[in-house]
Amino acid sequence: MADRERVIAYRVAAHQFDRTVTGAADLRVFDLGLQDSERSAVPALAARLERVPDLGAFTLTWSVRGAPHWHRADEVPSLAARLWPLSDADALARMNRPPVADGLAALREVAVALREVVTRPMTKGEASSRLTAKVRPELTAWCRGCEATHVLDPVFRLAVLPAGLRFDPAEKTVTFVPLEGRRDVPARSAGFAALISDYLRLHGPAGPSEVAHYFGAPVRDVKDAWPDDLVAVSKRAWLPADRIAAFEDPPEPEVVRLLPPLDPYLNARDRDLLVPDKAHQKQVWRILGRRGALLVDGEVLGTWQAKAAGSRLEVKVSPFVPLDVDMFAEEAARLAAARGLDGARVS
């Protein structure tokens, strides 16, 4: 295999698109968390499992980049320390640079106050209004939509996990619930190197730049935290030692999948490798009106959109090259079933 072909084949296998895994907890995507923005989690699971499970055994909270992710419940208590910023510069970068200099202290201030405020199930609106008076004014701003002053949203989102909070997924309005046995707000980062290795197992081979981009951290901090036991497979790309054999001889990526927008496979930060054509990149990673990706034998060969029409799912595919749309019929039917619909039609 050529270098790019080998990387693609490795990643398709690492993402377990072959559906040989029987339990959701064994999926590697949960090592980093499964993002659930715009209903992306269920179709991402449908692309990897024969049957999509109920996610009641997992915990949903704002975590990586302040986005909602499902995590294995037993890993959440330690996740706050692993994701805690590595420096003031890192904290400021992840919080979208609020007008303060002491990023770590500012994040800790908000997280501690939020932990004190939310001692029972509480909506985001109530928690936010109670929180505002407890933190310095520089961390708040007037919100036209709410017609109120509250903590800046990126800061608020990053403080939720360190405050020991999860979501109640049964509620339509964002509702926080204190974690059972929740820990104190972290005093320092602990275990970020393990997250680097987890990223590389799923999205590698890659380097500090891609890892930094994924977590929203400065490259310098990621380089300082870079694990010593990684194996360099090129001048700019590394893998954990336990994945070298899998990289050297990956299976052929012979799968056809409908990947949702924000699927973990598409969240790798080396987009030029995944989709070399710049015009196609703009379609796959649209800022507005996100679309899913057509994955065919390791290549992203188009985009797709879906909407429910009665009890059926209508899937519209937009391939970059001539394709037989019938090849996606089985995947569309799986996706429809995962969404509780009776069937699907692809066009």
Side-chain angles (χ1 to χ4, degrees), residues 292-310:
L294 306 176
L295 183 68
V296 181
D297 297 341
E299 297 293 344
V300 174
L301 296 183
T303 64
W304 62 275
Q305 298 169 283
K307 63 179 180 179

Side-chain angles (χ1 to χ4, degrees), residues 322-339:
L323 291 175
D324 181 358
V325 299
D326 289 341
M327 73 168 62
F328 302 105
E330 181 179 347
E331 290 305 305
R334 286 178 178 273
L335 183 57
R339 291 178 56 172

Side-chain angles (χ1 to χ4, degrees), residues 67 74 185 190 261 264 296 329:
D74 61 346
V185 176
V296 181

Side-chain angles (χ1 to χ4, degrees), residues 239-260:
L239 278 175
D242 61 9
R243 298 300 295 164
I244 293 298
F247 175 69
E248 290 178 344
D249 188 25
E252 293 291 337
E254 297 174 346
V255 296
V256 174
R257 297 290 183 267
L258 293 171
L259 302 185

Side-chain angles (χ1 to χ4, degrees), residues 103-341:
L104 288 171
L107 180 58
R108 181 174 176 78
E109 177 183 342
V110 176
V112 168
L114 188 59
R115 191 181 190 282
E116 293 173 352
V117 163
V118 184
T119 57
R120 56 173 174 78
M122 186 179 294
T123 65
K124 178 189 175 186
E126 182 181 356
S128 179
S129 63
R130 290 170 176 257
L131 177 66
T132 300
K134 291 180 171 290
V135 301
R136 69 184 92 168
E138 293 86 353
L139 297 171
T140 68
W142 173 258
C143 175
R144 291 182 181 179
C146 301
E147 294 189 347
T149 297
H150 55 63
V151 172
L152 297 163
D153 192 60
V155 182
F156 188 101
R157 284 172 171 264
L158 285 176
V160 164
L161 178 59
L165 306 179
R166 64 173 178 86
F167 297 155
D168 182 347
E171 297 290 340
K172 293 183 178 180
T173 301
V174 174
T175 300
F176 299 123
V177 179
L179 291 169
E180 292 185 9
R182 58 178 172 170
R183 301 179 183 181
D184 292 338
V185 176
R188 64 186 63 84
S189 176
F192 185 73
L195 287 178
I196 293 176
S197 295
D198 288 338
Y199 178 92
L200 296 174
R201 286 188 179 92
L202 196 61
H203 300 300
S209 178
E210 291 83 17
V211 173
H213 190 185
Y214 179 83
F215 289 104
V219 176
R220 177 180 297 179
D221 287 301
V222 172
K223 286 182 176 179
D224 289 343
W226 203 248
D228 295 329
D229 58 351
L230 298 177
V231 177
V233 299
S234 71
K235 291 182 178 180
R236 298 183 178 180
W238 287 259
L239 278 175
D242 61 9
R243 298 300 295 164
I244 293 298
F247 175 69
E248 290 178 344
D249 188 25
E252 293 291 337
E254 297 174 346
V255 296
V256 174
R257 297 290 183 267
L258 293 171
L259 302 185
L262 303 171
D263 185 271
Y265 185 82
L266 302 174
N267 271 337
R269 281 344 202 216
D270 46 4
R271 292 178 175 179
D272 288 341
L273 184 140
L274 293 179
V275 182
D277 187 285
K278 294 292 186 182
H280 294 166
Q281 287 182 19
K282 292 180 180 180
Q283 294 301 312
V284 174
W285 291 286
R286 293 162 63 103
I287 297 175
L288 299 176
R290 289 191 179 103
R291 297 178 180 178
L294 306 176
L295 183 68
V296 181
D297 297 341
E299 297 293 344
V300 174
L301 296 183
T303 64
W304 62 275
Q305 298 169 283
K307 63 179 180 179
S311 62
R312 294 178 64 82
L313 187 69
E314 297 286 342
V315 179
K316 172 67 176 177
V317 300
S318 301
F320 300 146
V321 297
L323 291 175
D324 181 358
V325 299
D326 289 341
M327 73 168 62
F328 302 105
E330 181 179 347
E331 290 305 305
R334 286 178 178 273
L335 183 57
R339 291 178 56 172
L341 301 173

